[in-house]
Each structure stands twice: as C-alpha cells, then as structure tokens.
Amino acid sequence: APWALMVLALLLRLYHLDAQSLWYDEGWSIELAHESPARVFFRLKDFADPHPPGYYLLLIFWGHLFGRSVWALRALSALLGALTVGAIYYAGKQLFDRATGLLAAVVLTLSSAHWVYSQEMRMYTLLTLCLALLLELFHRYGFRREGWSWRHWLALVGLEALAVYTHCFAVFARAAL
C-alpha cells in the first residue's frame, strides 16, 4: 500500500506539471540550474538570496541528468514530494502503528498544499522529505536506541546537513527535535 500511494502521489504531482506559468523564484531556480556548482555560491551572495545552496546544487545535478526544461526541472520536486509520502508513512508507522502511517501517507498524497509545492521548482519538498526522515531517525535514537551503527549516525548527520543546506528554517526544526 505505501508503494501504491507513492506511485499515485508521483502521478498526481506529474499531472499538468508544466501547466502553471513560471513565477519569479522559479525563474531564479532555472537560472541557477544553468550555472556551475562553484558559481552558484557567488550568485547567491551577489543577489542576496536568503536560501542555502543545497537545493540549487541538487537541481544542477538533476538538470545534467534529465535536462533543463521546465517540466524536467519541476519533476525533481514531484519526485521528492512522492518520496515524502513514503517517508511520512514510515515515520508514522515507527512512531505509532501501521494504520497511522498509512493515514498520514494518504493525507499527504491528497494534500493540495503539498501537491502545489511538489510542482514548484523550489526547495520545500526537499526540506519536507529531510524533516520526515529526521523525525524517524530522532525517534529511533531517542526512544528505541536499537542497533545504532556508524551508518545510522552518518545518515543522521547527512540528513541534518542536507536540511540545513536546503532551507534556513531547518535549524528551528532541528532545535525542536
């Protein structure tokens, strides 16, 4: 069932992916997607962009693999949104039970707000995915403490770094966790 929800979420998010016109922030994302990774840091500083470079660097890599059309670049957010459905299911299942995880995944799959943000070329779905995964890892460490290895610590530190390099608000979520 969670895999079916993730597929449904991806299909819903890919539907009419390029129907909306671009807005200013997406135009900025496209411009940065055409830069070299090293140049992104200078562009962010020159234009006083308040967002960290993590999403933009991922978008550059994605653009090299799948192209830089509006549809191709927005597809990254659609995929991240669908993966978030799976992460929410897993977090809900681990924190509560399978039914709660499934309900949370259904709600997120059908959430119009999450659907809209999953069709924008911005960092919000990546941040949501990171925070859902961090919630489960913090719960695993704080309450279950079962079988923690260096891989778990590496995943935790990597997700924290990715979240902070994706959006500044991740610092507040990290503090809350």
Side-chain angles (χ1 to χ4, degrees):
W3 290 104
L5 283 173
M6 289 173 62
V7 169
L8 176 62
L10 182 61
L11 292 174
L12 289 173
R13 283 147 179 79
L14 290 175
Y15 181 71
H16 286 290
L17 187 61
D18 56 357
Q20 260 320 41
S21 62
L22 291 172
W23 59 293
Y24 178 81
D25 287 354
E26 285 186 301
W28 177 241
S29 296
I30 288 175
E31 185 171 334
L32 290 177
H34 285 82
E35 296 286 355
S36 69
R39 183 104 172 91
V40 166
F41 293 95
F42 295 108
R43 296 295 308 276
L44 291 175
K45 182 181 85 49
D46 290 346
F47 287 94
D49 187 320
H51 300 295
Y55 176 78
Y56 301 123
L57 296 173
L58 182 61
L59 196 61
I60 290 170
F61 177 72
W62 180 267
H64 283 299
L65 291 176
F66 299 103
R68 293 189 180 101
S69 68
V70 171
W71 195 95
L73 292 175
R74 281 182 175 170
L76 173 60
S77 291
L79 177 63
L80 294 170
L83 291 173
T84 304
V85 169
I88 287 296
Y89 165 77
Y90 188 70
K93 179 182 168 190
Q94 295 303 316
L95 272 70
F96 301 102
D97 56 29
R98 186 177 188 284
T100 304
L102 202 53
L103 178 62
V106 167
V107 168
L108 191 62
T109 297
L110 301 176
S111 166
S112 59
H114 192 261
W115 192 345
V116 167
Y117 282 111
S118 295
Q119 290 190 330
E120 290 187 355
M121 210 179 314
R122 300 299 290 158
M123 67 283 308
Y124 307 113
T125 53
L126 178 58
L127 177 65
T128 307
L129 175 61
C130 288
L131 295 180
L133 293 171
L134 279 172
L135 176 64
E136 197 284 323
L137 282 175
F138 271 91
H139 178 264
R140 181 182 301 182
Y141 174 69
F143 296 100
R144 293 195 324 249
R145 296 183 189 254
E146 57 190 43
W148 266 77
S149 68
W150 64 271
R151 288 176 299 165
H152 294 102
W153 285 108
L154 189 61
L156 181 66
V157 170
L159 276 170
E160 286 178 342
L162 182 58
V164 169
Y165 278 94
T166 297
H167 199 285
C168 298
F169 285 171
V171 173
F172 299 115
R174 169 63 180 92
L177 288 172

